Amino acid sequence: MKPHARLLPDGQRLHLQHGPSDLIVWADGARDHAYRAAMRRFETIIAEVVEELPDLRAMLSPFTNRPKGAVARRMHDACLPLMHVGNLTRMAAVAGSIADEVLAAMTKNADITRAYVNNGGDIALHLTPGTSFKTAIKAHDGSDLGRIEVTGADRIGGIATSGRHGRSLSLGIADSVTVLANSAAEADAAATLVANAVDVPGHPSVSRRAASGVDENSDLGGLPVVVGCGALSASECQQALAFGVRRATSLKTHGCLRTAALFLQGHAVTTGAHILPIQHEIQNVPT
């Protein structure tokens, strides 16, 4: 299958699709130039990643070599600082890295004031001074979880969401975790690790299976991923979220994320500004 590109019916957004990558692109400014640059760059992205896929699917270690491809290097650079935190392959940042790479081609080749590249919920963001971006956080059932609002002055370049209802398998029970970071690749990797940390170890209502038994192509191999989570008490939800907050706070201290919002069965915790949960029991954690 070849890469596919088309303008959406609104005439303002570009749809790029190839294999597992499904991008929605928008730009304000020299849009035509930006979209042509995005299409040119997207033509070879998947092939470049596939060329190094076996290495990218391996667990990171101190002996892992930096890959050759531009997207693969973005994946590597986003994940390497997180290697000590938990089980991680560079695939944790693949969606965000593709979004970052397409956005970089747009900003390099066109004069644009605002732009985003949304790769299935992992968003690369470009905001110049005086501009802003607003978006909603949606649950897996389509209900509203919260709102995000950032400005150019915030210098946030990436938004990503992970959790057990997402596209990838999760080691944790979070319904979703949304992270804001300096890039989409960094947000993607950090959201994965924070979502993995939300847990109630050994709880009988949580069922797990080896990742390879759920998806034979999973980069997580035999690690136990969550395949079901029954109703938890309020205190159990708070305990699980506290584990996630602890990890998010540590990652924020090390500059790996800017803000995180964690959601579990009607409970929400935030670790900073720019994300406002709605219709949840909310706990704000100062960091």
Side-chain angles (χ1 to χ4, degrees):
M1 174 184 273
K2 295 182 179 180
H4 173 76
R6 68 181 180 95
L7 274 179
L8 292 175
D10 61 16
Q12 298 186 9
R13 295 175 297 159
L14 175 68
H15 180 211
L16 301 173
Q17 196 279 326
H18 188 199
S21 287
D22 199 308
L23 279 58
I24 302 297
V25 180
W26 176 85
D28 193 9
R31 182 174 294 159
D32 290 345
H33 291 291
Y35 288 0
R36 282 196 291 270
M39 289 186 287
R40 285 194 303 269
R41 185 64 191 94
F42 189 68
E43 285 179 354
T44 61
I45 276 185
I46 299 302
E48 292 170 20
V49 173
V50 169
E51 187 174 339
E52 300 185 81
L53 193 58
D55 288 338
L56 297 175
R57 288 163 52 88
M59 288 290 171
L60 276 170
S61 81
F63 306 103
T64 301
N65 293 322
R66 193 165 187 257
K68 297 177 181 179
V71 174
R73 288 196 300 267
R74 290 182 184 273
M75 296 162 63
H76 180 87
D77 293 345
C79 292
L80 192 64
L82 307 174
M83 184 178 62
H84 67 286
V85 178
N87 295 299
L88 193 68
T89 78
R90 289 170 289 193
M91 296 303 291
V94 62
S97 296
I98 290 173
D100 283 334
E101 184 70 10
V102 171
L103 182 65
M106 294 166 63
T107 57
K108 180 180 179 180
N109 292 280
D111 184 11
I112 50 180
T113 56
R114 289 191 302 164
Y116 67 75
V117 177
N118 185 341
N119 189 1
D122 296 329
I123 304 170
L125 191 60
H126 170 73
L127 295 174
T128 56
T131 64
S132 63
F133 175 79
K134 298 179 183 179
T135 191
I137 306 174
K138 296 288 186 178
H140 66 283
D141 60 3
S143 60
D144 279 339
L145 290 177
R147 297 287 183 270
I148 297 171
E149 181 172 356
V150 296
T151 70
D154 296 321
R155 303 181 67 82
I156 288 170
I159 303 169
T161 297
S162 186
R164 73 181 188 90
H165 297 295
R167 296 183 296 176
S168 301
L169 300 175
S170 179
L171 304 182
I173 64 172
D175 292 330
S176 69
V177 169
T178 295
V179 164
L180 278 57
N182 296 328
S183 69
E186 292 177 61
D188 197 1
T192 298
L193 285 176
V194 175
N196 284 347
V198 179
D199 200 6
V200 279
H203 197 287
S205 294
V206 180
S207 52
R208 306 174 196 267
R209 288 178 61 193
S212 57
V214 180
D215 177 1
E216 63 181 8
N217 296 315
S218 174
D219 58 306
L220 298 178
L223 292 176
V225 297
V226 174
V227 294
C229 180
L232 303 174
S233 68
S235 62
E236 289 168 336
C237 288
Q238 290 164 3
Q239 175 191 350
L241 290 170
F243 288 132
V245 168
R246 187 179 305 164
R247 177 163 291 177
T249 302
S250 175
L251 295 182
K252 183 175 181 179
T253 299
H254 289 88
C256 299
L257 64 80
R258 301 282 294 281
T259 300
L262 295 69
F263 301 89
L264 175 62
Q265 297 188 4
H267 298 263
V269 182
T270 61
T271 65
H274 312 301
I275 304 179
L276 177 65
I278 59 176
Q279 299 178 351
H280 281 71
E281 181 179 322
I282 303 168
Q283 178 183 358
N284 294 306
V285 180
T287 58

